[in-house]
Amino acid sequence: MLDLYHHPLRLHADPSRVVVRPFHIGWQSTNGAPSRTERLVQAVLDMSPGEARAQLAAVLKDFEARHWQTRRVFMTRYDEIETQMRLDGATIGDEKRQLIGAYFCHEYSYAAAALMNPSAVPHYDQTGMPKGSLRILMSLRAVGEGHISSVAFREGIITNKNEMKLAPEPPFATAADARGDEERVPEGPVKIYRHRDSTLSGTLLFPITHAQSNGLEDMRLTHFRHDDGSEEWLGTYTAYNGSQIQSEMLRTRDWREFDLVPMTGSASRNKGMGLFPRQVNGKYMMIGRQDGENIFLIESDRLTHWDEGVKLITPKFPWELVQMGNCGPPIELDEGWLMLTHGVGAMRKYSIGAALLDKDDPSKVIGRTREPILAAASEDREGYVPNVVYSCGALRHGESIFIPYGVADSSVAFAFVSIKSLLAVM
């Protein structure tokens, strides 16, 4: 019998969670006439000191209590505008500079529509953790205005007694961003930075490039150990521009700087890639869904290049006949590689199952669950997309697997399952 515990904590979409983001206006002039940006900046420069002071006071009255270090955000944005327009900041007072910055920012409710599809890894800082406890780090897909997806983070602690506590979210959220010319939308890798004073639980990753312009979706985090013993946190996710998808990879060693790297190769045109947490037999390995129906095993000599793989698992049981995919990176056990799967059955109902792969040859399937280990229960069926349970990554802690999962593409729930009982039902 499966030993599964549903934790009572549930995370929901929250329209009150807002962040200040850059607001972009066309930079280019037409037929030599001043651009909209130039006209707007000049309008502020033409204000009298008293008028500028009054306008800035009105902005701060509306927004300063809702955001952290609002004046610093405005000044940072002004600095970017100054670089773009080659302004002489020495001749512009602080109030006008802050006001110019404010005109090029806007408030965005990043999780107003949905919060879903989490993944979990061990936190990079385990300092002070008592025996039996593990500090964790989760990524979550947050959906806001315009159905634009971003990546949010939450930190917390789990114990070997199936207890869980999340660190409180700070009252103010900040967006990690590139330094320099944001108006030039890069097409290749881009480096972004967490705000120096922001916690991870208060940090958001927003689309930066054109390929990401309509969302960063379903990050699958992996705590990766290289052959030289070094550690890196990697996250595969889907970049969406409104018409095309592209698999990309987040890379970080310190959770201060993040590289967002487009992956190459034919497999990178598909969603849902889950990276093994180490090389196997000298190869990087990935679980993917190249045909939208079956689960594939893909090998590569490079972390960011993935070509065609071999079919690993096909739908077999009624709850997965429509299609299958992974629920995050495989988890290494003494018995083999544990891979959580999702299956879609009648009425497009999603369920979560599991499979066990051979430790030395992951192309060999040792076992799989005949019945789901998690499915949309009656109280969990309603939401943004009904009848869905979905995880982007679980982790092992002691003798249990901790599974964060999305419910109806609307909220996030948590479960613990005994490894021994899970293997016994395969």
Side-chain angles (χ1 to χ4, degrees):
M1 181 177 176
L2 189 66
D3 181 9
L4 180 73
Y5 171 70
H6 292 273
H7 195 279
L9 180 65
R10 184 70 63 89
L11 302 180
H12 295 275
D14 183 358
S16 71
R17 297 294 299 173
V18 291
V19 67
V20 174
R21 295 189 62 195
F23 172 59
H24 301 297
I25 299 177
W27 288 95
Q28 301 302 317
S29 61
T30 303
N31 298 323
S35 67
R36 290 179 62 195
T37 297
E38 291 169 330
R39 294 198 301 271
L40 179 53
V41 170
Q42 190 59 52
V44 176
L45 295 178
D46 289 342
M47 292 180 184
S48 69
E51 184 181 6
R53 185 177 304 112
Q55 292 300 321
L56 178 62
V59 171
L60 293 174
K61 179 181 177 182
D62 284 341
F63 296 102
E64 191 166 29
R66 291 167 59 87
H67 298 284
W68 180 51
Q69 298 181 330
T70 309
R71 293 172 185 264
R72 182 185 292 183
V73 172
F74 291 166
M75 289 298 284
T76 299
R77 191 67 179 124
Y78 166 79
D79 289 341
E80 293 159 357
I81 303 301
E82 180 182 275
T83 300
Q84 291 294 326
M85 295 188 60
R86 298 182 176 85
L87 299 174
D88 183 4
T91 64
I92 304 173
D94 281 354
E95 290 174 338
K96 286 190 177 182
R97 286 189 288 175
Q98 289 181 45
L99 187 57
I100 289 171
Y103 272 107
F104 290 90
C105 290
H106 73 126
E107 194 174 64
Y108 183 79
S109 180
Y110 61 85
L115 192 68
M116 56 187 178
N117 300 357
S119 70
V121 289
H123 198 281
Y124 61 91
D125 182 7
Q126 297 296 327
T127 305
M129 281 294 96
K131 185 177 180 180
S133 296
L134 179 74
R135 187 173 285 121
I136 63 169
L137 172 64
M138 291 189 296
S139 66
L140 306 101
R141 178 177 171 184
V143 184
E145 176 188 353
H147 197 76
I148 303 299
S149 295
S150 58
V151 178
F153 298 104
R154 288 300 298 269
E155 298 159 288
I157 296 173
I158 59 174
T159 76
N160 56 11
K161 297 180 180 180
N162 297 342
E163 298 166 325
M164 175 184 182
K165 185 175 183 180
L166 293 184
E169 287 183 300
F172 307 108
T174 58
D177 222 331
R179 293 173 183 165
D181 187 354
E182 293 182 7
E183 303 299 330
R184 298 175 184 171
V185 181
E187 295 302 326
V190 62
K191 185 182 290 291
I192 58 176
Y193 302 83
R194 172 157 63 103
H195 192 284
R196 57 186 175 274
D197 297 321
S198 177
T199 66
L200 269 173
S201 293
T203 297
L204 283 300
L205 305 185
F206 284 106
I208 296 286
T209 70
H210 173 71
Q212 305 165 356
S213 55
N214 273 59
L216 306 175
E217 302 179 356
D218 299 343
M219 180 169 287
R220 289 161 163 81
L221 288 174
T222 307
H223 180 204
F224 193 89
R225 297 184 184 275
H226 293 275
D227 284 350
D228 63 4
S230 63
E231 298 180 341
E232 188 174 10
W233 281 262
L234 307 173
T236 55
Y237 61 91
T238 302
Y240 179 54
N241 68 3
S243 60
Q244 295 178 316
I245 61 171
Q246 161 75 48
S247 284
E248 299 187 351
M249 180 179 290
L250 173 144
R251 306 186 66 168
T252 184
R253 291 182 184 270
D254 61 6
W255 291 94
R256 284 285 175 184
E257 299 181 2
F258 309 87
D259 290 300
L260 305 182
V261 184
M263 291 192 283
T264 58
S266 56
S268 68
R269 297 192 299 266
N270 301 291
K271 293 184 175 184
M273 301 179 75
L275 180 69
F276 282 66
R278 64 171 175 85
Q279 286 184 288
V280 182
N281 300 321
K283 296 283 188 179
Y284 298 106
M285 289 195 174
M286 189 87 78
I287 298 295
R289 196 183 72 197
Q290 293 169 262
D291 60 2
E293 179 183 0
N294 305 287
I295 296 177
F296 286 74
L297 178 67
I298 316 167
E299 297 182 356
S300 179
D301 294 322
R302 289 181 283 163
L303 264 174
T304 58
H305 181 88
W306 301 90
D307 285 318
E308 300 303 310
V310 296
K311 193 178 294 184
L312 183 66
I313 297 178
T314 61
K316 180 179 180 180
F317 304 113
W319 55 276
E320 60 190 19
L321 288 180
V322 174
Q323 68 185 49
M324 295 188 70
N326 71 71
C327 279
I331 300 168
E332 187 168 9
L333 306 178
D334 292 339
E335 295 82 358
W337 294 101
L338 177 66
M339 178 178 63
L340 297 186
T341 65
H342 71 256
V344 183
M347 289 296 291
R348 200 174 174 267
K349 180 179 178 179
Y350 276 66
S351 302
I352 295 176
L356 188 67
L357 311 179
D358 186 87
K359 199 164 186 176
D360 297 320
D361 183 1
S363 67
K364 295 179 180 179
V365 180
I366 299 174
R368 56 194 286 194
T369 52
R370 298 178 61 87
E371 300 292 336
I373 62 175
L374 275 172
S378 57
E379 69 273 16
D380 290 334
R381 293 175 59 189
E382 312 304 334
Y384 196 58
V385 180
N387 305 307
V388 171
V389 291
Y390 195 91
S391 178
C392 285
L395 62 79
R396 177 182 185 173
H397 178 52
E399 300 306 314
S400 296
I401 301 296
F402 168 67
I403 309 174
Y405 62 98
V407 177
D409 277 6
S410 298
S411 62
V412 173
F414 307 95
F416 294 82
V417 60
S418 155
I419 295 172
K420 182 179 179 180
S421 72
L422 180 54
L423 296 178
V425 298
M426 291 187 183

